[in-house]
Amino acid sequence: CANRARWDLSGERPAMGVPTALVELVAAAAAVSTVLALNSHMRERQRVTLLTRLARPAPSEAVAVVVQEAHRLGTVIPRIAILDTHLSCCFVSPDGSAIVLSRGFVAPLDLQALRLAIRHELAHLLRKDPERAAFWHIVTRTLLLPGFASFERWLHMRRERRADAMAAEDDEEAYLRLLSGYLNHRKMPHGGRSSLVPAVMALFVLLALALSHVLFEAQAAYLIRHHC
């Protein structure tokens, strides 16, 4: 056989390493992916920073609610940025320095609903969710494995559910009304658990391929000696 010279036909397999070119290719691809993910994250931070600079001053009642809830939760007091748009949005800035609300989100809320929405965002700050989100975004892009976008979405929904639980502690019924009215876009179509299936299956396939390669190498000398 053409490949007979690669193997010790006494039955022992010589030590073989992973091809250097393959390692270098994977390392280069991971490095490029990491740089792109970091660049994407920095551009997102810059866009949100620009939005907060263009935002109008928050009403005094909103500022008072933020101060009260921040003291209650024991977290820092972020800046409130009100975007002058009819679109409904409510989120923490990627650097954790501000809570961004839109006029379209705030206008229909009473004071209690506004308090619950702000408490939800403060819960993200308390748990350092902006930093967690940035970390996992970069990690999942660097892994270069298919299916891990769904894993990142699952982590996002997990953070949201924990913030929901903290926000709903005092008035669960009012918070559920707020969720049903304004936050339905956060619900996943197939639930949090099933979204992990692509990532788990991709990892399983890769492990199976690696194991089959190891087993083939372990038996290659025997196969060549008896069947080649």
Side-chain angles (χ1 to χ4, degrees):
C1 290
N3 293 327
R4 183 183 294 270
R6 296 176 54 203
W7 300 93
D8 177 6
L9 298 185
S10 63
E12 295 184 0
R13 178 175 59 89
M16 295 185 63
V18 179
T20 303
L22 178 60
V23 174
E24 292 176 350
L25 178 62
V26 172
V32 170
S33 182
T34 302
V35 170
L36 292 176
L38 286 170
N39 180 63
S40 173
H41 176 66
M42 294 306 298
R43 290 177 63 184
E44 180 184 356
R45 289 186 61 162
Q46 290 172 356
R47 286 195 295 267
V48 175
T49 299
L50 178 60
L51 279 177
T52 57
R53 288 176 181 173
L54 297 175
R56 66 182 186 181
S60 56
E61 59 269 19
V63 175
V65 167
V66 170
V67 172
Q68 293 169 8
E69 292 300 321
H71 283 310
R72 177 181 177 275
L73 294 176
T75 187
V76 297
I77 301 175
R79 188 163 68 90
I80 298 296
I82 304 294
L83 303 180
D84 191 14
T85 174
H86 67 281
L87 299 176
S88 180
C89 63
C90 174
F91 59 91
V92 177
S93 62
D95 61 0
S97 65
I99 294 178
V100 182
L101 306 172
S102 67
R103 174 173 50 82
F105 179 84
V106 173
L109 300 182
D110 59 24
L111 187 59
Q112 177 61 8
L114 179 62
R115 182 183 301 275
L116 293 172
I118 289 176
R119 187 182 300 169
H120 173 98
E121 302 307 328
L122 288 173
H124 283 306
L125 290 179
L126 181 65
R127 295 179 47 79
K128 300 187 182 301
D129 284 343
E131 292 86 348
R132 292 171 188 262
F135 172 78
W136 283 112
H137 174 72
I138 294 169
V139 167
T140 54
R141 295 302 181 273
T142 304
L143 287 175
L144 299 176
L145 296 177
F148 271 80
S150 61
F151 176 66
E152 186 180 4
R153 288 195 298 271
W154 178 81
L155 288 174
H156 168 75
M157 294 306 300
R158 186 168 177 261
R159 291 191 295 269
E160 291 296 332
R161 285 192 294 269
R162 291 186 173 184
D164 286 341
M166 294 182 67
E169 284 181 354
D170 293 341
D171 195 343
E172 184 175 354
E173 184 177 346
Y175 189 75
L176 289 176
R177 287 198 302 270
L178 178 66
L179 282 179
S180 63
Y182 296 96
L183 303 180
N184 280 330
H185 63 278
R186 281 178 19 203
K187 294 182 179 178
M188 300 186 71
H190 300 294
R193 293 182 180 231
S194 62
S195 65
L196 282 176
V197 171
V200 173
M201 290 300 296
L203 186 59
F204 175 78
V205 169
L206 289 171
L207 288 175
L209 289 173
L211 179 61
S212 66
H213 179 71
V214 170
L215 292 175
F216 172 77
E217 284 195 335
Q219 300 298 323
Y222 173 85
L223 293 173
I224 292 174
R225 186 169 63 248
H226 291 84
H227 302 285
C228 190

